[in-house]
Amino acid sequence: MENSDLAISCYGKVKNITYDLVLLPWGATEPHNQHLPYGTDCILSHAIALDAARQANEQHQVNCMVLPPVFMGAQNPGQRELTFCIHSRYETQKAILTDIVASLHHQGIRKMVIINGHGGNNFKNMIRDLVVDYPDFLLFTTEWFTIVPPANYFEEKDDHAGELETSVMLYYHPEWVEMEMAGTGESKPFALSSLNDKIAWTPRNWLRVSQDTGIGNPMKATAEKGKRYAAEVTRRL
């Protein structure tokens, strides 16, 4: 699969292959409770993209190239105060995406799917602008963690670094999970019920929401749950 993973492949292996589709993992750099890596959103979106690329090739003879993940994610108030949490503005993310599309378009590539792994990212308006500038470029976005409803796979509701993300990380990279450091992921809701009911929206202040940066209990996470969930996600993707 290294011919489909640009992070580890080389020009000699890819220069004579025609690629039908590019997959762009996009995550963030932020704490994930106290037990998951800062790069969790990048790591998981990249792993999901590689599995989807493999299946596309084996089952449909579609050649996909998976780009290295983008680590610049949009953060909530209260997250920038956390050590090494990196906030990327909308304008910065749009500039990065524009440069990627412009480069690929210049090389004759016309199809790309963003595999988003961070809930704070939103690419829809960027894509609307880009398809005006590049009308022959098909550009899609998807969030891997919303493709399959988690209710039938996990016991606890996951918002950030809970059972879902921890299980999938335990499946792909158990060596990077420090479960003995994990907090409970307890969180506080908004004081206004209308915000909890999503009648209106405003970003949550993370320092007021969570004591360990997580939202969702990771304690019931297992690699087997992560394997089952990731398999269905990549199949649909």
Side-chain angles (χ1 to χ4, degrees), residues 130-167:
L130 283 167
V131 297
V132 170
D133 297 334
Y134 299 93
D136 59 339
F137 196 101
L138 290 174
L139 183 54
F140 307 86
T141 184
T142 184
E143 294 180 330
W144 71 263
F145 51 89
T146 65
I147 293 174
V148 177
N152 293 332
Y153 296 83
F154 306 103
E155 300 173 59
E156 302 283 347
K157 184 178 180 180
D158 192 303
D159 194 323
H160 180 68
E163 186 182 356
L164 187 159
E165 280 192 298
T166 302
S167 292

Side-chain angles (χ1 to χ4, degrees), residues 1-2 7 23 30 62 67 74-75 87 91 131 133 136 140 148 174 213 215 220-221 227:
M1 275 299 296
E2 64 181 45
L23 303 180
E30 60 175 358
V62 174
L67 298 184
Q75 306 293 348
H87 171 63
E91 295 83 0
V131 297
D133 297 334
D136 59 339
F140 307 86
V148 177
T213 82
I215 299 180
K220 296 180 181 178
K227 180 180 180 179

Side-chain angles (χ1 to χ4, degrees), residues 30-31 38 79-86:
E30 60 175 358
Y38 272 72
Q79 288 182 295
R80 290 187 67 188
E81 288 79 0
L82 301 171
T83 306
F84 297 120
C85 186
I86 307 300

Side-chain angles (χ1 to χ4, degrees), residues 49-82:
L50 288 175
D51 273 356
R54 174 183 54 80
Q55 292 183 39
N57 180 261
E58 291 176 353
Q59 299 176 22
H60 306 287
Q61 293 74 56
V62 174
N63 289 328
C64 300
M65 174 56 79
V66 179
L67 298 184
V70 179
F71 68 90
M72 305 298 288
Q75 306 293 348
N76 277 25
Q79 288 182 295
R80 290 187 67 188
E81 288 79 0
L82 301 171

Side-chain angles (χ1 to χ4, degrees), residues 185-189 209-210 214-216:
E186 294 182 17
S187 61
K188 295 180 180 179
V209 171
S210 172
I215 299 180

Side-chain angles (χ1 to χ4, degrees), residues 185-200:
E186 294 182 17
S187 61
K188 295 180 180 179
F190 283 110
L192 291 174
S193 60
S194 58
L195 293 176
N196 295 317
D197 295 337
K198 302 185 185 303
I199 294 171

